[in-house]
Amino acid sequence: MEIVKLSSDTLKDMNKASEPFEIIGKLKPTFVNDEWTYTEEIYDCSYLHSYPNEDCDYSLYIENPDKTVFLAYADKECVGQIVLRKDWNKYALVEDICVSKSSRGQGIGSALIQKAIEWAKDKGLDGLALETQDNNLLACRFYSKCGFVIGAVDTMLYKNFTKPWSDATAIFWYLKF
């Protein structure tokens, strides 16, 4: 596997790794004594879900000192990506991370997180931050495994959308260096 920074040559590979993912349950966060903990609710039946690809001009990320994209390749095929930008609070915001379905469980997501950590540290930032939905339990487990902790929960972020989006709770994860 090779991880490369987005360039005009690799721009064509943006979002190729964005594929449906399995929804197996929901994260149930609780805030007690100034600490977030959580339990899991596992669904009787899992289902596939996908996010629409962002309508974004990723060429603006090329050679930009405040944002970047790293692409993961295996056998010359793009199998993962992570989109980052410097945020106002001295965190690098992970705008998107994905790994193609056939490449999941092979360490590609962890390698992309490590690349993001390197980029953030090189920029003098103090950590990584990201948001995902409570029903993306596999992603929540991954972030926790990578050392992220819950910093906030927002029950209103998706309320103006139609179902099933309006039922989601936003979970904000942080990895402080």
Side-chain angles (χ1 to χ4, degrees):
M1 180 196 43
E2 178 184 24
I3 296 179
V4 300
K5 210 171 184 183
L6 183 67
S7 69
S8 55
D9 293 335
T10 58
L11 191 57
K12 67 187 179 332
D13 292 332
M14 281 303 302
N15 294 318
K16 282 191 175 176
S18 182
E19 296 180 342
F21 52 93
E22 192 174 14
I23 300 293
I24 65 162
K26 173 183 262 190
L27 192 82
K28 309 283 276 183
T30 306
F31 191 65
V32 177
N33 297 327
D34 291 331
E35 185 178 340
W36 284 103
T37 60
Y38 58 86
T39 57
E40 296 179 354
E41 175 187 337
I42 305 299
Y43 297 154
D44 291 333
C45 295
S46 65
Y47 61 93
L48 290 179
H49 186 62
S50 61
Y51 296 130
N53 287 330
E54 295 289 323
D55 185 22
C56 179
D57 183 359
Y58 289 107
S59 67
L60 299 174
Y61 287 68
I62 299 171
E63 299 303 322
N64 187 319
D66 294 330
K67 50 185 158 183
T68 194
V69 176
F70 291 102
L71 301 171
Y73 289 88
D75 299 322
K76 299 187 182 194
E77 180 184 340
C78 184
V79 296
Q81 70 185 37
I82 190 165
V83 181
L84 303 160
R85 71 173 166 84
K86 287 172 70 174
D87 213 353
W88 63 271
N89 59 358
K90 296 196 70 171
Y91 281 94
L93 181 66
V94 178
E95 295 179 325
D96 182 48
I97 181 171
C98 62
V99 174
S100 65
K101 186 175 181 180
S102 63
S103 299
R104 293 176 190 154
Q106 299 176 21
I108 293 167
S110 296
L112 288 167
I113 291 290
Q114 287 306 309
K115 198 65 160 171
I117 290 169
E118 291 172 21
W119 182 82
K121 285 182 175 180
D122 285 347
K123 298 295 178 185
L125 301 174
D126 295 333
L128 300 180
L130 59 87
E131 178 269 329
T132 196
Q133 295 78 41
D134 61 343
N135 66 353
N136 195 347
L137 183 56
L138 294 175
C140 291
R141 286 177 178 174
F142 170 72
Y143 301 134
S144 179
K145 181 181 166 190
C146 289
F148 286 78
V149 296
I150 297 173
V153 172
D154 187 339
T155 61
M156 296 300 293
L157 191 63
Y158 296 102
K159 290 298 181 207
N160 288 336
F161 293 95
T162 58
K163 286 186 179 277
W165 291 102
S166 62
D167 293 332
T169 294
I171 311 290
F172 292 86
W173 294 88
Y174 294 86
L175 177 65
K176 187 147 175 60
F177 306 147

